[in-house]
């Protein structure tokens, strides 16, 4: 059994998503060859809300990555979907629900290394600053959060709670 505690309310999320969209709209205004890659499954809600507020032109692709060591601990990142698009020459914007240790960032950077892409930026709704150990900067962060396990707004705990419209912390009962 899990105990869920409300952590970030619906309105605060909406406000933050709009702030991020505003920044992206400013930074990418008038630019070409933009490829947004949404990392499934956790980013599906964030991606839907964020991309609908973007007013520059971009292609949108999805990659499914599994990074679960176990239910509440992130582990090694694995690509579990097809990679059937070409990022060559693109400015890549990766949308992540949450960045924790940075394993996924390292994994994704090495995945794209073989292509001559133009640049790569990460947009993460949540960022566990204390746990992040990758050398790569994450320039678009919604909320910096302490090291607790969260779910809702697309994010899961053992496959559950993705449908919650707000974010909770998950505790063992
Ligand atoms: P990282 O590779 O350690 O940075 O972890 C990134 C991935 O682990 C995220 O995209 C999530 O899928 C998952 N993850 C890490 N922390 C949490 C959490 O608190 N709740 C839900 N998923 C998480
Ligand atoms: Mg994820």
């Amino acid at each position: 059994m899990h105990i869920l505690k409300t952590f970030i309310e619906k309105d605060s999320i909406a406000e933050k998503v709009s702030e991020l969209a505003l920044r992206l709209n400013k930074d990418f205004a008038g630019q070409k060859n933009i490829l947004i890659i949404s990392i499934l499954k956790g980013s599906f809600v964030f991606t839907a809300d964020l991309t609908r507020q973007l007013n520059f032109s971009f292609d949108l692709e999805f990659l499914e990555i599994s990074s679960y060591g176990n239910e509440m601990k992130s582990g090694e990142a694995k690509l579990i979907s097809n990679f059937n698009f070409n990022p060559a020459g693109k400015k890549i914007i990766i949308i992540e629900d949450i960045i924790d240790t940075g394993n996924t960032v390292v994994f994704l950077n090495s995945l794209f290394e073989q292509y001559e892409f133009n640049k790569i930026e990460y947009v993460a709704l949540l960022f566990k600053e204390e746990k992040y150990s990758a050398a790569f900067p994450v320039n678009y962060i919604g909320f910096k959060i302490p090291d607790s396990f969260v779910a809702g707004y697309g994010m899961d705990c053992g496959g559950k709670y993705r449908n919650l419209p707000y974010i909770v912390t998950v505790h063992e009962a």
Side-chain angles (χ1 to χ4, degrees):
M1 258 269 290
H2 292 140
I3 295 169
L4 306 181
K5 293 187 185 159
T6 304
F7 180 51
I8 308 175
E9 302 276 4
K10 214 173 138 177
D11 289 353
S12 314
I13 300 171
E15 213 172 284
K16 195 59 84 175
V17 172
S18 296
E19 274 175 32
L20 286 169
L22 209 70
R23 276 186 62 201
L24 290 164
N25 284 336
K26 216 190 254 170
D27 294 353
F28 288 89
Q31 297 196 32
K32 293 209 170 62
N33 294 318
I34 297 171
L35 171 62
I36 296 185
I37 303 171
S38 166
I39 307 305
L40 296 174
K41 298 183 179 110
S43 300
F44 80 104
V45 178
F46 179 40
T47 300
D49 284 348
L50 182 70
T51 55
R52 283 180 297 165
Q53 297 184 55
L54 298 180
N55 56 23
F56 51 89
S57 162
F58 57 86
D59 289 339
L60 179 61
E61 295 288 350
F62 294 88
L63 283 180
E64 183 166 5
I65 288 182
S66 167
S67 64
Y68 283 58
N70 60 43
E71 198 176 68
M72 289 212 209
K73 201 169 170 292
S74 77
E76 198 194 335
K78 268 193 215 106
L79 184 66
I80 57 174
S81 63
N82 288 331
F83 184 163
N84 52 11
F85 54 89
N86 188 354
K90 302 286 188 182
K91 288 169 194 146
I92 301 170
I93 302 174
I94 295 186
I95 302 186
E96 267 283 28
D97 49 354
I98 178 163
I99 293 178
D100 182 353
T101 60
N103 285 347
T104 308
V105 167
V106 170
F107 174 79
L108 284 167
N109 284 348
S110 66
L111 193 66
F112 293 119
E113 219 168 45
Q114 57 184 303
Y115 300 94
E116 298 230 337
F117 59 84
N118 197 301
K119 73 164 175 182
I120 188 161
E121 288 285 359
Y122 286 82
V123 183
L125 181 63
L126 305 179
F127 184 71
K128 293 186 189 168
E129 194 172 28
E130 298 154 31
K131 285 186 69 195
Y132 189 69
S133 67
F136 199 82
V138 178
N139 290 329
Y140 298 91
I141 293 169
F143 300 92
K144 289 182 178 168
I145 64 165
D147 178 22
S148 49
F149 201 85
V150 299
Y153 195 71
M155 292 168 283
D156 75 312
C157 180
K160 302 255 171 1
Y161 315 126
R162 294 193 194 275
N163 58 313
L164 295 175
Y166 45 88
I167 297 169
V168 295
T169 53
V170 184
H171 310 266
E172 295 290 356

